[in-house]
Amino acid sequence: WLIPLSNNIEISYSKCIRALKGITTEHAAPQLYTTLHRRARSSAATPQITTHYTIHPREKDPRWEGVEMERFADEADVVIVGGGPAGLSAAIRLKQLANEQEKELRVCLVEKASQIGAHTLSGACLEPSALSELFPDWKERGAPLNTPVTEDIFSILTEKHRIPVPMLPGLPMNNHGNYIVRLGNFVRWLGEQAEELGVELYPGYAASEDVFERGMELHAKVTLFGEGCHGHLAKQLYKQFNLRENCEPQTYAIGLKEVWTIDEKKWRPGRVEHSVGWPLNRNTYGGSFLYHLNEGEPLVALGFVVGLDYSNPYLSPFREFQRWKHHPFVAPTLEGGSRIAYGARALNEGGLQSIPKLTFPGGLLIGCSPGFMNVPKIKGTHTAMKSGMLAAEAVFARITAESPESETAGLHVPEYSDALKESWVWKELYAVRNIRPSFHNYFGLYGGMVYTGIFYWILRGKEPWTLKHCGTDASQLKPAKDCTPIEYPKPDGKLSFDLLSSVALSGTNHEGDQPPHLTLRDDAVPVGRNLAVYDGPEQRFCPAGVYEYVPLETGDGMRLQINAQNCVHCKTCDIKDPSQNINWVVPEGGGGPAYNGM
């Protein structure tokens, strides 16, 4: 069966090799195929909201009648889905090992963005531990780590004031030895290193004509899935192989980010600022960051993170972010400056309790796809990179131990999970496992901070219990009738801005004639349940203005309008929809945001 990665890239997974390649072995292992193809132009408008082939199968859709489906196939040893820190680190490590041992190894990496790094967004304050393992000479190679942290500030904000919190050595938020980076630039640099080593990179495959052309399959012995947070393929693999059977549901946050140029007199290169508290209440998990970059001009990266387990359907993460910038401790830095970039993405916050089974016949999960983020540190790049490196080492050992004449039969590599559990990644996540769920108490934020001070700073996470999360984020919303609407101030156009002008800064673009990739399992649910019970929360939790309720043309009701071209690929809708009716699928390759060093 086919797992679509995009209208340009697909992963085709067969339950047995025999079915697709005519192999007669009785117990043939599963096999993964990666397919690159061009987009289909939609023929005629349909009355449904959802027209995507994942909801309306091609064999029953007249738009596909008579379309040639034959594809060219090619062979690779390893295919990697996703060109982020984990996928690129895995690709680099595979080729390093192959070159060291003089082995022929074909490694292909596919990425839905038009360029490597164009969909990458993070704060980011990078811990260089994994990078130093991958490239001990990263400084000589010109890695874009230009801003070592020189000052660490943490605050609890009230509406008008700031309460400073000392950043003691050993606390998770201590950033001594770390670097402020623009992660998209760092990922682009990793891509250059990968290409130099011989990795084949396939970023978004743009259409060259307006007719559908069936694309190329890449057959691999092992496929590494590094799609990032809440990956479209990973969701299906969880179900197909029951990978989440023995873990808790993943819990998430949404992170929103802007880049500003500021007055040079206010610029403090290397300064890191974090805050919790206002404008969120004590029972809504979240906080802010403001980093001063040192890249030749007075740039700051700032952002706001909101846990998606919030309960009030009237909450808008985007508008909370805009309101936060008016705080008396934040506004002076930005006044007189200019906003030059905007974006958003979801973050995994479940930690150790929510890590699924990582291996299955023919593939394995790496990076933010399964979720290795250290939540109290607000860092996941170093753990994602290390997971990719460990996966590469385990895969390389299995592939090179196989007979060179063997077919590209799917290999199961459980050694990867074993290696990860023996690594510093697992030890780090175990030590902080209780910090995020500790916020689920009557005192909320303040109770969680007390717990962190006692059980992490003093005992280093050695308490003999493991706290649980509170279920899925989608199930946490209360009905609108039980909640108080939130009145947000109008943006002033100087510090705070409206949603659509913000999305314009993300460079987001999708071809308008493709089937919208924001699909609904049931077109009746948005008005019948989400609007009726929760007052349409999708129009507030989406950070890109994709969803809006508009009057019917007849004037006797409302309908959901999906502006799919605005989507910044954050996946928040798929995560937070209280009806779990929205299914985010990848659009055609090359579509989405065009971040420049975010």
Side-chain angles (χ1 to χ4, degrees), residues 478-501:
K478 296 178 180 177
K481 65 181 179 61
D482 298 330
C483 298
T484 303
I486 301 174
E487 296 294 329
Y488 290 105
K490 291 184 178 180
D492 66 358
K494 297 177 182 178
L495 297 182
S496 52
F497 303 90
D498 66 89
L499 195 53
L500 293 184
S501 68

Side-chain angles (χ1 to χ4, degrees), residues 145-405:
L145 277 65
N146 304 314
T147 313
V149 174
T150 58
E151 189 179 3
D152 221 340
I153 295 173
F154 191 84
S155 310
I156 299 174
L157 301 183
T158 65
E159 186 173 357
K160 299 293 184 183
H161 302 286
R162 167 188 175 252
I163 303 170
V165 177
M167 191 51 59
L168 301 173
L171 284 175
M173 296 290 289
N174 189 296
N175 283 289
H176 177 75
N178 295 336
Y179 292 80
I180 304 169
V181 301
R182 299 173 72 175
L183 194 64
N185 292 346
F186 175 67
V187 166
R188 190 178 304 120
W189 176 84
L190 283 176
E192 293 168 359
Q193 308 308 304
E195 282 193 307
E196 287 181 11
L197 287 164
V199 176
E200 298 178 36
L201 301 181
Y202 295 95
Y205 185 60
S208 62
E209 56 191 11
D210 289 331
V211 295
F212 177 81
E213 180 176 316
R214 198 65 162 164
M216 181 180 71
E217 290 181 348
L218 291 173
H219 295 197
K221 296 175 182 177
V222 182
T223 300
L224 279 59
F225 293 87
E227 303 170 272
C229 179
H230 205 64
H232 168 62
L233 296 177
K235 288 188 302 180
Q236 298 176 63
L237 293 169
Y238 293 150
K239 294 178 181 178
Q240 174 68 17
F241 294 99
N242 204 17
L243 301 179
R244 303 204 66 90
E245 179 182 17
N246 297 314
C247 70
E248 291 192 42
Q250 185 62 262
T251 184
Y252 302 87
I254 179 173
L256 305 104
K257 179 183 176 181
E258 296 175 351
V259 177
W260 286 58
T261 58
I262 62 169
D263 185 337
E264 194 163 354
K265 295 177 182 177
K266 304 173 183 178
W267 185 35
R268 303 288 183 271
R271 181 172 179 171
V272 167
E273 302 175 24
H274 292 100
S275 76
V276 295
W278 189 89
L280 302 178
N281 63 33
R282 73 173 190 270
N283 292 314
T284 302
Y285 187 87
S288 74
F289 65 87
L290 198 159
Y291 302 155
H292 292 246
L293 291 149
N294 186 16
E295 300 198 353
E297 57 180 323
L299 291 176
V300 294
L302 56 144
F304 203 78
V305 177
V306 179
L308 289 177
D309 55 355
Y310 66 83
S311 61
N312 188 340
Y314 293 109
L315 188 148
S316 164
F318 173 81
R319 299 185 77 175
E320 296 290 348
F321 177 29
Q322 299 305 308
R323 181 159 64 167
W324 164 78
K325 289 184 288 181
H326 287 273
H327 191 275
F329 184 64
V330 180
T333 300
L334 304 178
E335 287 169 350
S338 176
R339 188 178 66 149
I340 62 173
Y342 167 81
R345 59 161 288 194
L347 315 169
N348 292 302
E349 290 201 335
L352 196 76
Q353 294 92 316
S354 300
I355 294 175
K357 184 180 179 183
L358 299 169
T359 65
F360 49 91
L364 43 83
L365 303 170
I366 60 174
C368 289
S369 181
F372 297 124
M373 179 172 156
N374 184 322
V375 179
K377 279 188 176 182
I378 325 179
K379 291 176 182 59
T381 302
H382 66 301
T383 50
M385 291 178 67
K386 182 62 175 178
S387 73
M389 294 156 63
L390 291 169
E393 290 164 2
V395 166
F396 182 80
R398 284 295 305 275
I399 287 179
T400 54
E402 294 289 309
S403 166
E405 289 80 26

Side-chain angles (χ1 to χ4, degrees), residues 41-44 46 51-53 56 61-65 67 515:
R41 181 180 288 275
S42 178
S43 57
T46 59
T51 61
H52 199 273
Y53 64 82
H56 300 283
D61 190 333
R63 293 175 301 167
W64 296 93
E65 193 172 328
V67 174

Side-chain angles (χ1 to χ4, degrees), residues 112-113 118-121 229 254-257 318 341-346 499-500 502-510 517-518 541-547 563-573 584-585 587 591-595 598:
K112 64 184 174 66
H119 285 181
T120 299
L121 182 146
C229 179
I254 179 173
L256 305 104
K257 179 183 176 181
F318 173 81
Y342 167 81
R345 59 161 288 194
L499 195 53
L500 293 184
S502 300
V503 175
L505 291 176
S506 70
T508 297
N509 183 59
H510 298 86
H517 63 285
L518 289 316
F541 59 58
C542 173
V546 169
Y547 302 95
N563 306 308
Q565 68 275 15
N566 288 4
C567 178
V568 295
H569 297 197
C570 74
K571 325 284 181 63
T572 301
C573 57
W584 190 99
V585 302
Y595 296 138
M598 287 286 276

